[in-house]
Amino acid sequence: MRSVSEVRLTPVICPFCGFGCKLYVRSIDGVPAGIEFYDKGGVNEGKLCPKGVAAVDFLRHPERLRKPLRRVGERGEGRFKEISWSEAIKEVATRLKEIKKVFGAESVGFLSSARCTNEENYLMQKLARLYGSGNIDHCARLCHSATVAGLIKCLGAGAQSSPFTDILKTRVILVWGYNPAETHPLLMRYVLKAKDLGAKLIVVDPRRTRTARFADIHLQIRPGTDIALANAMMNVIISNDLYDRDFIVRRTEGFEELKKLVMKYTPKYAEEVTGVTAALIDEAARTFASAGRGVIMWAMGLTQHTVGTYNVVALADLALLCGYVGREGCGVYPMRGQNNVQGACDMGALVEFLPGYRPAAAEEKRREVAKLWGVDELPEPGLTVVEMVNEAGSGRIKAMYIMGENPVVSDPNTSHVIKALNNLEFLVVQDIFLTETAAYADIVLPAAAYAEKEGSLTSSERRVQWSFKAAEPPGEARPDWVILSSVARELGLKGFNYSSPEDILREINAVVPQYRGITPERLKSSPEGVFWPCPSEGHPGTMRLYEERFLTCNGKAKLVGVEHREPAEKPDREYPLILTTVRVVGQYHTLTMTGRSLSLVRRWPEPYVEVNPEDARRYGVSDGDEVYVVTRRGRYKCKVKVTSSIREGVVAIPWHWGANILTIDALDPTCKIPEYKVCACRIERVGGG
């Protein structure tokens, strides 16, 4: 008699961007079979973007890692043999012990992952610090470390201040260096609804993006001149008495110093720097300040600069000047690019922060967490991800343990990254596919993907949600928390005897003050999730920050004037164009997941370079031509897309296919974020010219 198949619908959180969409995985006898998204609840209101619709495509891809692997050939060749879990865990622990004994714990670097759960990020940073290394970081360093540093400096916390629903109550939306129509399509629905309700949309971007096409005002800025533009807008607002005087007096400090600094940034002066006309700057400033309620959104176009931290400070100043923080219909919205980049930061997977944003440089805070973990001391802050790679190249970093990150594609200056990984004595990569980075590993550990495990994730708006297990992992793949616990125990570290993600979250409740009331029981019974800070189980969660006070010592926000500074690399005769990197809606980060979806690859199959028609004429290229884009670091082959959407003198390439072979690894000295958005380049026709 034929048995009846078990069909289940399981709620999970989408594995892609940081918007926090809920979807349902349909599984048949434990095997993922499709996506359902008919539930009208959740922040996505039952809708999904192209990536979300294809979110099960990679789960049973034939290239999924199924057993632990040991390298048998040269690094980068991708030749491995299968080994048992016991062999793999023992070898990882043995090699890490040996390297620690000879070179010290600080010679080992650990990379956590914004694509893993809160529980798994918490364990990775705990493992690193109890091993004795302060070298713990993750990809937020490459995207929003500038946001964390800049907002903490001004407001006291480095997170989104208001829920997405406040967008529907605002009167003006300022979108800066960010293209939600491509990167967060479900958020763009909120923006368009707000426009239908009468809100004005101002977009600052060197490209006429899909988002900019809906703008009432588009400021087509020259890349790397954001501070000059923001200061000029503040000049107009202050000079015309359009700022919120009462808010400034009651809730901020530093106004007179800011006023003095921005007075020289007249719209006419800013026009020369930014390429945006003085009249348009004046109109944008007046429109923004006179609305009464406003929000500012930004992403990589603002943060990925050597002045990324100061760019964020300038936008925080602009929001504070108009009183657009801590009120309904107002707020600052740094949009996260990965589904748990906010949670990974909250858990302390950053070199400068312990769990809950305790400064890792503060001895008393290290002692506080050490006591909670039952040890005497914790290491001081170590190296960021880019610094680890640099020091691997120089020989100071001897080993790395990388979970769910792909620095060969995601880090700047790819050739330098590969040389550095080749120089390591030992490399462990824990992932779901044999990525470009895993090809250089000594040991590869197969991990379960998002729908094959459970745990909590935190979206861009600080909404913590539980993602349930919908299917079994392929082969012998294991959840990351299980692998990390096994490695930690084999290393002899105490405090890793967990039996479930719920056990880990209960420890997080005790260690992370903002998550104290976000228990596993509460999350599982709360389909809409819970916002942090949530200091107790009876607390409803805080949807809107700063309503009564800012998270600074005296409760007041700090207005901090910042000066315009040139990018690290400017165009010259040899490299006359500015290169900036962008994203496309149907591909995601390093293509590890979306690159294995047939439907997405058919629609978004290859990279291209956007070239302004005047530049195309000047350099003799036409639409569809194959060219090399060349910088001081490398050359990259792609097709030309001639479009007036990009400003003259600037070219743009989607970075997913490996364009970081071109980008510069100059860093913001404050937060150590690389300058992906500006470097000098030239274009050469394939075959000469």
Side-chain angles (χ1 to χ4, degrees):
M1 185 174 178
R2 187 177 177 183
S3 61
V4 178
S5 296
E6 180 188 16
V7 179
R8 287 194 305 159
L9 285 178
T10 306
V12 302
I13 305 305
C14 183
F16 297 114
C17 82
F19 191 64
C21 291
K22 180 190 292 184
L23 52 86
Y24 289 78
V25 171
R26 183 175 73 254
S27 61
I28 301 174
D29 295 333
V31 178
I35 292 290
E36 304 282 350
F37 45 99
Y38 56 80
D39 186 341
K40 301 304 179 186
V43 68
N44 54 314
E45 301 175 319
K47 308 293 184 183
L48 291 175
C49 78
K51 295 189 291 291
V53 172
V56 300
D57 290 6
F58 66 88
L59 290 177
R60 282 298 181 266
H61 193 279
E63 293 176 0
R64 278 292 301 276
L65 292 170
R66 287 167 166 77
K67 292 196 70 173
L69 304 174
R70 178 190 289 131
R71 179 171 59 85
V72 294
E74 294 296 318
R75 282 211 172 113
E77 291 181 347
R79 292 196 292 125
F80 296 87
K81 72 172 184 178
E82 294 181 349
I83 58 175
S84 68
W85 270 109
S86 59
E87 289 177 285
I89 297 297
K90 184 174 183 179
E91 184 162 342
V92 170
T94 299
R95 294 295 304 277
L96 291 180
K97 285 178 182 177
E98 290 172 350
I99 290 170
K100 179 179 179 178
K101 183 177 181 180
V102 177
F103 302 104
E106 66 279 1
S107 68
V108 179
F110 296 82
L111 296 186
S112 204
S113 175
R115 286 178 289 279
C116 292
T117 65
N118 288 324
E119 293 73 26
E120 290 161 341
N121 279 287
Y122 176 82
L123 285 199
M124 177 56 104
Q125 62 83 32
K126 181 180 179 182
L127 186 159
R129 288 176 166 126
L130 291 185
Y131 172 81
S133 175
N135 305 322
I136 172 67
D137 215 25
H138 78 289
C139 68
R141 182 68 50 198
L142 309 177
C143 58
H144 271 296
S145 57
T147 289
V148 175
L151 289 185
I152 286 178
K153 187 184 291 288
C154 296
L155 310 181
Q160 184 173 317
S161 68
S162 304
F164 293 130
T165 50
D166 264 15
I167 297 169
L168 304 178
K169 303 169 185 176
T170 197
R171 304 304 300 165
V172 65
I173 302 169
L174 176 56
V175 175
W176 200 302
Y178 171 45
N179 182 15
E182 295 269 358
T183 55
H184 297 87
L186 276 299
L187 174 65
M188 190 64 188
R189 297 179 72 248
Y190 283 68
V191 173
L192 295 179
K193 285 181 182 179
K195 273 187 63 69
D196 288 343
L197 294 170
K200 297 291 185 182
L201 176 61
I202 304 169
V203 173
V204 178
D205 203 294
R207 303 164 65 229
R208 188 171 179 267
T209 62
R210 290 176 185 239
T211 302
R213 293 172 196 170
F214 292 97
D216 297 284
I217 302 172
H218 176 205
L219 308 177
Q220 199 162 9
I221 191 173
R222 184 176 293 120
T225 61
D226 305 273
I227 290 172
L229 179 59
N231 283 350
M233 290 179 67
M234 287 188 276
N235 176 297
V236 173
I237 292 167
I238 294 173
S239 298
N240 293 277
D241 203 26
L242 298 174
Y243 60 95
D244 189 330
R245 189 180 299 271
D246 179 65
F247 184 89
I248 293 297
V249 171
R250 288 188 304 105
R251 303 205 59 193
T252 74
E253 58 186 18
F255 173 73
E256 291 302 326
E257 292 83 355
L258 176 69
K259 177 181 177 180
K260 182 178 179 181
L261 183 142
V262 303
M263 281 302 102
K264 67 182 178 184
Y265 288 88
T266 64
K268 192 64 180 173
Y269 170 79
E271 178 177 332
E272 296 299 317
V273 177
T274 67
V276 180
T277 65
L280 204 55
I281 294 172
D282 185 86
E283 181 187 356
R286 291 174 184 272
T287 301
F288 182 72
S290 61
R293 295 193 303 276
V295 303
I296 305 180
M297 301 176 181
W298 68 86
M300 307 301 92
L302 183 83
T303 60
Q304 289 179 333
H305 296 270
T306 51
V307 291
T309 300
Y310 289 158
N311 283 348
V312 173
V313 166
L315 291 203
D317 288 340
L318 192 54
L320 291 168
L321 199 58
C322 299
Y324 291 167
V325 186
R327 296 194 290 123
E328 185 178 73
C330 299
V332 291
Y333 289 73
M335 287 306 304
R336 312 299 192 175
Q338 300 192 50
N339 65 334
N340 202 36
V341 70
Q342 182 64 57
C345 295
D346 300 341
M347 295 302 108
L350 288 170
V351 67
E352 66 266 52
F353 293 113
L354 296 162
Y357 298 99
R358 296 172 175 91
E363 186 178 349
E364 69 275 14
K365 296 300 181 182
R366 296 200 304 274
R367 284 201 303 265
E368 183 181 310
V369 177
K371 184 177 180 181
L372 291 168
W373 288 345
V375 297
D376 294 329
E377 59 182 7
L378 295 177
E380 295 183 1
L383 303 172
T384 66
V385 53
V386 178
E387 290 173 325
M388 287 184 222
V389 171
N390 289 341
E391 295 297 343
S394 70
R396 178 183 168 193
I397 291 292
K398 303 294 184 182
M400 292 187 71
Y401 189 149
I402 299 175
M403 176 178 76
E405 295 278 300
N406 191 9
V408 167
V409 181
S410 61
D411 284 20
N413 195 353
T414 301
S415 299
H416 170 67
V417 175
I418 291 172
K419 289 178 183 177
L421 295 183
N422 271 324
N423 201 42
L424 289 171
E425 293 195 9
F426 187 58
L427 174 61
V428 184
V429 174
Q430 187 169 304
D431 217 313
I432 62 175
F433 289 101
L434 192 69
T435 63
E436 291 84 351
T437 301
Y440 292 88
D442 296 284
I443 296 290
V444 179
L445 304 176
Y450 76 103
E452 300 157 357
K453 59 185 178 183
E454 58 183 315
S456 65
L457 301 115
T458 307
S459 74
S460 187
E461 62 177 345
R462 295 175 288 105
R463 186 195 298 262
V464 186
Q465 302 178 89
W466 192 263
S467 190
F468 291 85
K469 181 179 177 180
E472 294 299 321
E476 297 180 19
R478 296 178 178 180
D480 291 279
W481 71 267
V482 173
I483 302 171
L484 293 173
S485 297
S486 299
V487 171
R489 289 194 297 268
E490 189 70 23
L491 283 168
L493 305 179
K494 296 180 180 179
F496 285 86
N497 293 314
Y498 306 102
S499 59
S500 67
E502 291 88 341
D503 281 353
I504 306 168
L505 181 53
R506 291 186 188 99
E507 183 173 318
I508 292 170
N509 297 154
V511 175
V512 181
Q514 297 91 330
Y515 281 64
R516 195 146 288 154
I518 307 178
T519 62
E521 294 77 18
R522 184 175 181 182
L523 278 188
K524 288 184 173 185
S525 61
S526 303
E528 302 300 315
V530 182
F531 285 80
W532 72 256
C534 182
S536 66
E537 287 193 54
H539 194 282
T542 307
M543 293 179 68
R544 193 175 296 115
L545 297 176
Y546 316 126
E547 288 185 304
E548 296 180 1
R549 69 186 307 275
F550 290 94
L551 300 179
T552 57
C553 294
N554 62 3
K556 288 191 172 186
K558 292 176 170 52
L559 292 161
V560 182
V562 290
E563 296 277 11
H564 165 68
R565 196 174 73 210
E566 296 287 348
E569 188 174 76
K570 297 173 65 177
D572 54 25
R573 291 184 64 182
E574 187 178 2
Y575 300 96
L577 298 168
I578 294 174
L579 167 67
T580 192
T581 58
V582 299
R583 304 182 192 181
V584 298
V585 67
Q587 292 293 357
Y588 179 76
H589 286 254
T590 68
L591 304 181
T592 301
M593 297 183 289
T594 56
R596 290 174 170 88
S597 166
L598 184 60
S599 62
L600 295 179
V601 170
R602 282 174 174 168
R603 174 66 181 82
W604 293 273
E606 61 185 358
Y608 53 85
V609 56
E610 291 186 351
V611 181
N612 180 274
E614 287 302 309
D615 290 324
R617 179 189 58 78
R618 184 176 295 115
Y619 298 109
V621 297
S622 302
D623 199 70
D625 283 354
E626 282 196 323
V627 297
Y628 291 110
V629 180
V630 185
T631 70
R632 290 178 173 86
R633 290 150 295 281
R635 54 201 296 115
Y636 185 73
K637 186 178 179 181
C638 57
K639 290 182 179 179
V640 170
K641 181 178 180 181
V642 178
T643 172
S644 57
S645 295
I646 188 79
R647 65 171 293 141
E648 191 175 346
V650 181
V651 298
I653 301 179
W655 70 273
H656 314 287
W657 287 270
N660 281 327
I661 194 171
L662 302 172
T663 51
I664 190 169
D665 47 9
L667 302 180
D668 177 325
T670 303
C671 68
K672 309 296 178 66
I673 196 169
E675 188 153 61
Y676 290 100
K677 296 308 180 196
V678 186
C679 70
C681 76
R682 66 173 181 261
I683 51 177
E684 301 173 354
R685 292 182 63 178
V686 172

